Amino acid sequence: MSLFNTTGLTDDQRMMREGVLDLLGRHLPWEKIRKMDEAREFPLEAYEALADAGYIGLFYPEELGGTGGSYRDIAIFLEAMGYHYTGIAQAITTSAVYAGMHIAKFGSPEMKKDLVPRIIAGKAKLALCMSEPGTGSDVAGVKTFAQREGDDYILNGNKVWITCGHVADYFVVITRTDRDGANRHQGISTLLVDAKTPGVTVRPLQMLGRRTSHANEVFFENVRVPAQNLFGGEGRAWKNIMSCLGLERLGLAAISAGHCFKITEYARDYAKDRVQFGQPISQFQVIQHKLADMLILSETARQMVYRAADVLDSGSPAVTEASIAKIVATDNNFKCADIGMQIMGGAGYSMEYDMQMFFRDSRVGPIGGGTNEIQRNILAKQMDLG
């Protein structure tokens, strides 16, 4: 029995959720996920199936070839993927949201016309290159530099924690184009770089969780990038990045909310089957309370996600709501996995069961996409605390 309550969803949204779960059940069955996690294999078949079914188009307006889904539509889509498997959800959002939204919002007309339809069709995968070895949360501290030389920029630098960089066709690179500006938030620009360009090197990283859509280190050594590939205005990347964060944080929260329900159902089913002292452990009140707490965490995460989506759909930037949703959903995701592991005891700690993967996959949520400490800094600023 599913613990997910679809009350409040439209008929189309219910159909979409059921369609996504059915498609993933066929193209990314659970026994395959376990093998792919161990092999660190990208879920290409499921990615392409979602694209062929038109789901990536939800993120983009009709004038760019998309279907113009509402933020709530997008939240439900990502929540469904997060419920099935966080790795495929991360693979889709990395290309379509974290990197692709920069193209859709700030790319030149030619760039949008060429690239967005290919993103929607699953024919072009993108990765956002922002974090660096010395600048994670401090985006304004990037050191990667692009020097103008005639009709090109010469790009040099090192990026790290680049999700899906190993399968990307293009990189959306946040780089300095001016080292002399007095304001550290100025002089930062965005370049579109073909991953096959000479001087680009990608080194996969061995990550704890979400291994199928893992992070990478990306090196740029005298990479020649056409000047026309600078987009969004020279020196204006900081402002552009900020305008993309609402959807990014909503996405991270929605994936985590879906994962909460997956973990809770898995732990519940185990508890109903596991017999100790002559009865299923689900009949012990201490276990019942733990499972009830997991359901509370799951439903609370989901409600925060829908609240942020509704505020975004109203036209507001939802700075406060998106940060709250990101904190609550990602923290609750890890708490659910932690409680679930305790319910399962030694089995939860064993690689033979799925709880260990849920635990590993959930831990990145409070770190990625702006740590939850950074989100609290944002909330403090929104509260006019200084």
Side-chain angles (χ1 to χ4, degrees):
M1 180 189 77
S2 174
L3 297 174
F4 189 90
N5 189 336
T6 60
T7 300
L9 274 59
T10 67
D11 289 342
D12 286 344
Q13 289 167 344
R14 287 194 191 93
M15 288 175 59
M16 176 180 66
R17 184 175 188 276
E18 291 169 3
V20 169
L21 294 177
D22 176 70
L23 181 150
L24 291 176
R26 288 183 284 112
H27 293 278
L28 193 61
W30 196 251
E31 60 273 14
K32 186 175 181 179
I33 291 172
R34 285 296 303 270
K35 293 176 182 177
M36 294 176 74
D37 176 72
E38 292 171 5
R40 292 172 165 82
E41 179 185 348
F42 184 78
L44 182 61
E45 179 185 333
Y47 189 104
E48 292 180 342
L50 287 164
D52 289 344
Y55 287 114
I56 298 179
L58 276 172
F59 299 101
Y60 299 100
E62 293 180 7
E63 57 266 26
L64 294 181
T67 53
S70 68
Y71 285 101
R72 183 174 271 237
D73 291 336
I74 290 169
I76 292 164
F77 171 53
L78 295 177
E79 185 180 59
M81 286 196 294
Y83 173 84
H84 184 79
Y85 173 52
T86 57
I88 184 60
Q90 183 165 278
I92 293 290
T93 52
T94 295
S95 186
V97 178
Y98 309 153
M101 260 326 118
H102 286 269
I103 304 295
K105 283 175 172 276
F106 310 112
S108 66
E110 296 77 16
M111 192 180 290
K112 292 178 183 179
K113 183 178 180 181
D114 170 60
L115 203 49
V116 173
R118 289 196 282 148
I119 295 171
I120 293 171
K123 304 301 182 184
K125 291 185 284 296
L126 280 65
L128 177 63
C129 290
M130 188 155 61
S131 295
E132 298 182 1
T135 58
S137 297
D138 182 19
V139 178
V142 295
K143 299 293 192 297
T144 297
F145 185 67
Q147 175 72 51
R148 182 68 182 259
E149 188 177 287
D151 292 332
D152 297 321
Y153 282 94
I154 309 302
L155 180 65
N156 283 280
N158 179 14
K159 298 291 185 177
V160 72
W161 318 129
I162 309 308
T163 305
C164 295
H166 60 302
V167 295
D169 299 298
Y170 298 93
F171 294 115
V172 172
V173 182
I174 307 301
T175 178
R176 287 212 165 272
T177 48
D178 179 9
R179 287 175 170 151
D180 302 323
N183 186 332
R184 65 198 299 267
H185 295 96
Q186 297 176 350
I188 304 174
S189 303
T190 309
L191 288 175
L192 179 68
V193 180
D194 190 316
K196 297 182 178 64
T197 307
V200 177
T201 303
V202 179
R203 184 174 73 87
L205 296 170
Q206 300 294 310
M207 307 304 290
L208 176 68
R210 300 202 187 175
R211 294 172 174 173
T212 62
S213 52
H214 60 74
N216 304 264
E217 213 169 358
V218 183
F219 301 88
F220 301 102
E221 185 175 359
N222 295 320
V223 177
R224 191 169 288 273
V225 184
Q228 66 194 35
N229 282 26
L230 185 147
F231 65 97
E234 186 167 358
R236 297 183 60 185
W238 177 263
K239 182 180 179 181
N240 296 344
I241 292 167
M242 295 301 107
S243 73
C244 291
L245 292 179
L247 177 56
E248 179 177 336
R249 289 166 184 161
L250 175 71
L252 291 165
I255 292 167
S256 292
H259 200 209
C260 284
F261 280 97
K262 177 77 166 194
I263 295 168
T264 303
E265 291 176 9
Y266 186 85
R268 176 204 58 187
D269 293 346
Y270 176 87
K272 291 174 73 173
D273 289 338
R274 173 65 167 160
V275 175
Q276 288 284 275
F277 305 103
Q279 61 182 334
I281 64 172
S282 61
Q283 293 183 17
F284 293 107
Q285 190 180 64
V286 66
I287 300 298
Q288 292 175 350
H289 284 188
K290 288 182 186 297
L291 288 165
D293 285 342
M294 292 172 72
L295 181 60
I296 291 168
L297 290 167
S298 303
E299 189 63 36
T300 303
R302 179 186 173 213
Q303 294 306 319
M304 293 299 100
V305 169
Y306 286 19
R307 166 64 177 165
D310 290 345
V311 173
L312 284 165
D313 276 328
S314 75
S316 167
V319 175
T320 296
E321 292 81 5
S323 287
I324 291 174
K326 198 271 181 179
I327 292 168
V328 171
T330 58
D331 279 353
N332 287 8
N333 191 184
F334 184 63
K335 289 174 185 175
C336 276
D338 192 38
I339 298 170
M341 185 169 283
Q342 190 68 24
I343 289 171
M344 293 180 65
Y349 198 64
S350 167
M351 298 299 285
E352 303 304 315
Y353 289 84
D354 295 332
M355 189 58 73
Q356 51 78 24
M357 186 170 71
F358 297 153
F359 188 87
R360 291 186 288 106
D361 287 352
S362 68
R363 188 58 186 88
V364 73
I367 299 171
T371 66
N372 286 1
E373 289 75 19
I374 290 293
Q375 303 305 319
R376 287 176 169 86
N377 287 348
I378 292 166
L379 293 173
K381 187 174 181 180
Q382 292 296 112
M383 296 168 70
D384 195 27
L385 300 179

